[in-house]
Amino acid sequence: MLYYSTNNKAPLASLEKAVVKGLAEDRGLYMPQEIHKLPQAFFDDMPQMKFQDIAFNVASSFFGDDVDLDGLQDLVYDTLQFDCPVVKVKDNIYSLELFHGPTLAFKDVGARFMARLLRSLSPSPSRGGEGSIYSQSKVLTEELTTPLPSAGGAGGGALVNVLVATSGDTGSAVANGFLGVEGIHVYVLYPKGKVSPIQECQFTTLGQNITAVEVDGVFDDCQRLVKQAFMDEELNSHMKLTSANSINVARFLPQAFYYFNAVARLKAMGKDNIVVCVPSGNFGNICAALFGHRMGLPVKRFIAANNANDVFYNYLQTGQYNPKPSVQTLANAMDVGDPSNFARILNLYSENGTLSPEETHHRITSLISGATYSDEQIKDTMRRCHEETGYILDPHGACGYRALEEQLQEGETGVFCETAHPAKFKEKVDEILGIDVAIPDRLAAFMRGEKQSVPMANDFEAFKAYLMEQ
């Protein structure tokens, strides 16, 4: 499959180019030329299928033209060595728990998949396959028998440098997904003093092929530095760069896996009229859900839950997109004032710019509603949920839970993304709920490490000079 740019001024790209380059030459985001509809037989049998088999069918629809299907099966199984369960919180509200991976955050799925895909891509692919391979899913073996290809394939042996901006969980998921992968070096850019101490230790204590860059600014500054780096000809001639943010198709598309699984689990419970609520910052997570919907995923509608950074919420109300500086909040991973993936949502529902802004806005608002919450509202939601149900929300999940409480209609079943383990925000959660959240062993292991980071001015020339020296 070929990929086009949302700005429509760059050549079509192969999967390899889209993954390795991350951003198109015209600064647009890559979009797949086709989004295959999955067959009804798949959706009929999905409630009886296991997570990995569901994900394999979705992955084949996205990547089956470009990746050997046996290798893709192994890649998916190796990525999903943990569950993303659906847990009842109350009435018809369920939590999609996305914190059971290595770094206890939803981004483990996309980051692990991308790391494995990047090292499995060959410079000159000769592959086949088209659309869904549902018929093959019924004969998948339980065991992985084929090892993933060795590192270095994507770049023909050259070192690939991954640049990733993080407002919290992306950095740890990407860093741990790529940790120790031969032929790849990761630079994690994060805003100084604006991620939780536990989040910070998950990517600043690793060493090896991971470098943490502590930027004197906010997340939007980190994201801007990454985008400028991709566009700088001198820097790109000096080193091979790619991104592992949700701007990369290999990072955001696999996040559709767990929405299909969530619907399957709810259908198995006899639930219908499903509403999916996604706490949203850079909008890669909900964008993956919307791509799943275009593939036929039976979801009635979506809710994008924001913190005080309400740029998308305002777009839904007015039809005008006006990015602005991000505001620091309790739900820090959603502190984004100019979400990159808005361009993909706009492109998807404008049919690549062929519809008017008014028609595009109507199509988006017919499927997606919004919500925006202050820190005090987030705290209040966390307290009420814990008192009424015993369930511990993290600040991001609290936005999703509250939006469902307020917007769910009679006869609907709501599921929200609990995007990170509450222990990743232990200081805040303990203070708000008056409890002592237990720290999982794998999280405690990160906290015992020694911080290693490179201080960086909020200035592209300084960042470029640093990279040129590497």
Side-chain angles (χ1 to χ4, degrees):
M1 185 187 296
L2 295 176
Y3 293 79
Y4 68 91
S5 167
T6 53
N7 287 340
N8 285 305
K9 295 179 181 178
L12 293 174
S14 65
L15 175 64
E16 182 194 356
K17 180 180 177 182
V19 173
V20 173
K21 289 294 294 181
L23 202 64
E25 294 92 334
D26 61 358
R27 301 190 179 217
L29 305 189
Y30 283 116
M31 295 277 286
Q33 236 181 358
E34 299 177 75
I35 302 176
H36 300 293
K37 282 273 189 182
L38 288 163
Q40 186 57 46
F42 166 67
F43 292 108
D44 291 342
D45 284 359
M46 196 170 67
Q48 288 76 50
M49 296 170 66
K50 63 182 181 181
F51 186 13
Q52 292 92 336
D53 291 353
I54 292 170
F56 179 40
N57 280 274
V58 178
S60 73
S61 187
F62 285 137
F63 306 112
D65 292 347
D66 304 291
V67 182
D68 174 77
L69 296 183
D70 289 336
L72 184 61
Q73 171 190 324
D74 293 348
L75 196 157
V76 169
Y77 267 67
D78 192 37
T79 296
L80 299 177
Q81 293 187 8
F82 51 90
D83 194 14
C84 296
V86 172
V87 176
K88 184 175 182 178
V89 180
K90 76 169 191 179
D91 300 331
N92 273 343
I93 296 181
Y94 292 78
S95 170
L96 172 56
E97 292 188 344
L98 302 176
F99 54 72
H100 294 276
T103 71
L104 296 91
F106 80 95
K107 295 173 183 179
D108 281 326
V109 173
R112 285 169 62 84
F113 185 92
M114 181 186 170
R116 286 151 180 76
L117 180 64
L118 186 59
R119 68 177 180 176
S120 70
L121 288 171
S122 64
S124 302
S126 177
R127 305 177 178 104
E130 43 185 277
S132 167
I133 49 170
Y134 171 62
S135 59
Q136 298 189 26
S137 73
K138 293 184 176 181
V139 296
L140 291 179
T141 58
E142 295 290 331
E143 299 295 326
L144 297 180
T145 56
T146 307
L148 284 172
S150 59
L159 180 69
V160 176
N161 298 277
V162 176
L163 304 183
V164 58
T166 185
S167 57
D169 291 326
T170 296
S172 57
V174 170
N176 284 271
F178 284 89
L179 182 64
V181 176
E182 181 186 350
I184 297 176
H185 194 100
V186 177
Y187 296 88
V188 180
L189 284 73
Y190 71 103
K192 180 180 180 180
K194 294 179 176 61
V195 301
S196 79
I198 293 179
Q199 286 175 319
E200 185 178 32
C201 73
Q202 286 189 294
F203 55 81
T204 61
T205 62
L206 300 175
Q208 298 186 56
N209 61 324
I210 310 298
T211 299
V213 180
E214 191 173 16
V215 177
D216 188 9
V218 298
F219 169 75
D220 293 320
D221 297 319
C222 299
Q223 187 163 254
R224 175 180 50 79
L225 293 177
V226 168
K227 288 183 177 180
Q228 284 183 273
F230 292 148
M231 295 299 112
D232 189 280
E233 291 185 9
E234 182 182 13
L235 187 57
N236 280 266
S237 66
H238 175 70
M239 62 200 307
K240 180 170 286 191
L241 299 176
T242 189
S243 172
N245 279 90
S246 57
I247 60 175
N248 196 302
V249 293
R251 241 296 309 279
F252 96 88
L253 286 175
Q255 293 175 172
F257 296 166
Y258 44 73
Y259 293 110
F260 281 84
N261 186 58
V263 170
R265 302 291 75 85
L266 290 171
K267 291 283 189 181
M269 300 176 199
K271 301 296 182 180
D272 216 335
N273 292 320
I274 297 169
V275 177
V276 172
C277 183
V278 187
S280 300
N282 213 24
F283 279 76
N285 202 9
I286 195 169
C287 196
L290 297 173
F291 272 63
H293 185 260
R294 184 62 67 93
M295 296 168 72
L297 182 65
V299 171
K300 181 179 179 182
R301 60 190 179 89
F302 297 87
I303 304 173
N306 291 145
N307 56 20
N309 294 278
D310 56 2
V311 172
F312 185 76
Y313 176 82
N314 289 335
Y315 167 78
L316 293 176
Q317 312 309 310
T318 66
Q320 302 297 313
Y321 179 68
N322 297 307
K324 55 187 178 183
S326 60
V327 177
Q328 187 173 355
T329 75
L330 180 63
N332 65 283
M334 294 154 56
D335 292 350
V336 183
D338 186 7
S340 294
N341 285 286
F342 177 76
R344 280 196 172 110
I345 296 173
L346 206 60
N347 186 275
L348 184 66
Y349 292 102
S350 70
E351 303 298 338
N352 193 18
T354 60
L355 300 181
S356 69
E358 293 76 20
E359 177 62 19
T360 301
H361 179 255
H362 174 72
R363 294 183 70 188
I364 291 173
T365 54
S366 296
L367 182 64
I368 311 169
S369 61
T372 177
Y373 300 111
S374 67
D375 279 1
E376 287 307 312
Q377 289 174 307
I378 292 172
K379 292 176 183 178
D380 174 67
T381 304
M382 292 170 67
R383 292 189 193 101
R384 283 192 301 100
C385 181
H386 188 245
E387 290 169 1
E388 295 171 4
T389 72
Y391 194 83
I392 302 174
L393 295 166
D394 91 289
H396 308 80
C399 294
Y401 177 79
R402 181 161 182 153
L404 284 176
E405 278 193 315
E406 294 177 352
Q407 297 189 31
L408 206 60
Q409 299 170 10
E410 187 174 352
E412 293 180 334
T413 299
V415 59
F416 69 94
C417 296
E418 182 57 40
T419 54
H421 195 288
K424 296 192 76 169
F425 311 93
K426 178 175 173 56
E427 293 177 356
K428 296 295 184 184
V429 173
D430 285 357
E431 176 187 341
I432 293 166
L433 301 184
I435 61 176
D436 183 10
V437 175
I439 299 177
D441 291 341
R442 61 188 183 280
L443 188 55
F446 288 112
M447 299 171 66
R448 291 191 289 269
E450 180 180 349
K451 176 181 174 180
Q452 305 171 59
S453 66
V454 176
M456 184 64 58
N458 179 15
D459 174 74
F460 177 67
E461 290 305 318
F463 181 51
K464 175 181 175 180
Y466 168 73
L467 290 178
M468 293 290 288
E469 292 174 358
Q470 305 310 304

